[in-house]
Short mmCIF file of all heavy atoms in Angstrom, two decimals:
data_model
loop_
_atom_site.label_atom_id
_atom_site.label_comp_id
_atom_site.label_asym_id
_atom_site.label_seq_id
_atom_site.Cartn_x
_atom_site.Cartn_y
_atom_site.Cartn_z
N VAL A 80 66.26 145.59 253.21
CA VAL A 80 66.10 145.81 251.78
C VAL A 80 65.24 147.06 251.52
O VAL A 80 65.56 147.86 250.65
CB VAL A 80 65.41 144.57 251.13
CG1 VAL A 80 64.98 144.89 249.69
CG2 VAL A 80 66.36 143.39 251.14
N ARG A 81 64.18 147.22 252.32
CA ARG A 81 63.30 148.40 252.15
C ARG A 81 64.08 149.67 252.44
O ARG A 81 63.95 150.68 251.75
CB ARG A 81 62.08 148.30 253.05
CG ARG A 81 61.02 147.31 252.56
CD ARG A 81 59.69 147.55 253.29
NE ARG A 81 59.81 147.31 254.71
CZ ARG A 81 59.60 146.13 255.29
NH1 ARG A 81 59.27 145.09 254.54
NH2 ARG A 81 59.71 145.99 256.59
N GLN A 82 64.93 149.64 253.49
CA GLN A 82 65.72 150.83 253.84
C GLN A 82 66.70 151.17 252.74
O GLN A 82 66.86 152.32 252.35
CB GLN A 82 66.46 150.61 255.17
CG GLN A 82 65.51 150.55 256.37
CD GLN A 82 66.22 150.08 257.64
OE1 GLN A 82 67.38 149.65 257.57
NE2 GLN A 82 65.55 150.14 258.76
N ALA A 83 67.38 150.14 252.22
CA ALA A 83 68.36 150.36 251.14
C ALA A 83 67.66 150.87 249.87
O ALA A 83 68.15 151.76 249.20
CB ALA A 83 69.11 149.06 250.83
N THR A 84 66.50 150.32 249.59
CA THR A 84 65.74 150.78 248.44
C THR A 84 65.30 152.21 248.59
O THR A 84 65.35 153.01 247.65
CB THR A 84 64.50 149.87 248.20
OG1 THR A 84 64.95 148.53 248.04
CG2 THR A 84 63.73 150.32 246.97
N ALA A 85 64.87 152.57 249.80
CA ALA A 85 64.41 153.95 250.03
C ALA A 85 65.55 154.94 249.83
O ALA A 85 65.40 156.01 249.27
CB ALA A 85 63.88 154.05 251.47
N VAL A 86 66.77 154.56 250.30
CA VAL A 86 67.92 155.44 250.11
C VAL A 86 68.25 155.57 248.60
O VAL A 86 68.51 156.66 248.10
CB VAL A 86 69.13 154.90 250.88
CG1 VAL A 86 70.39 155.68 250.52
CG2 VAL A 86 68.90 154.98 252.38
N ALA A 87 68.23 154.43 247.92
CA ALA A 87 68.57 154.45 246.49
C ALA A 87 67.59 155.25 245.69
O ALA A 87 67.96 155.89 244.68
CB ALA A 87 68.62 152.99 245.96
N GLU A 88 66.32 155.28 246.12
CA GLU A 88 65.29 156.02 245.37
C GLU A 88 65.13 157.48 245.84
O GLU A 88 64.32 158.20 245.34
CB GLU A 88 63.97 155.29 245.53
CG GLU A 88 63.97 153.90 244.86
CD GLU A 88 62.63 153.16 245.05
OE1 GLU A 88 61.83 153.67 245.89
OE2 GLU A 88 62.44 152.14 244.42
N LYS A 89 65.97 157.85 246.84
CA LYS A 89 65.89 159.20 247.34
C LYS A 89 66.20 160.22 246.24
O LYS A 89 67.09 160.01 245.43
CB LYS A 89 66.92 159.38 248.47
CG LYS A 89 67.03 160.77 249.03
CD LYS A 89 68.08 160.83 250.13
CE LYS A 89 68.26 162.22 250.67
NZ LYS A 89 69.31 162.28 251.72
N THR A 90 65.46 161.26 246.21
CA THR A 90 65.69 162.32 245.23
C THR A 90 66.03 163.61 245.93
O THR A 90 65.60 163.84 247.07
CB THR A 90 64.44 162.54 244.35
OG1 THR A 90 63.32 162.85 245.18
CG2 THR A 90 64.14 161.31 243.50
N PHE A 91 66.83 164.42 245.27
CA PHE A 91 67.24 165.69 245.86
C PHE A 91 66.37 166.80 245.27
O PHE A 91 65.84 166.68 244.17
CB PHE A 91 68.71 165.97 245.56
CG PHE A 91 69.63 164.91 246.09
CD1 PHE A 91 70.36 164.09 245.20
CD2 PHE A 91 69.77 164.67 247.43
CE1 PHE A 91 71.21 163.10 245.66
CE2 PHE A 91 70.63 163.70 247.92
CZ PHE A 91 71.34 162.90 247.03
#
Side-chain angles (χ1 to χ4, degrees):
V80 170
R81 284 196 298 270
Q82 290 170 352
T84 301
V86 171
E88 294 177 349
K89 176 180 177 181
T90 57
F91 302 114

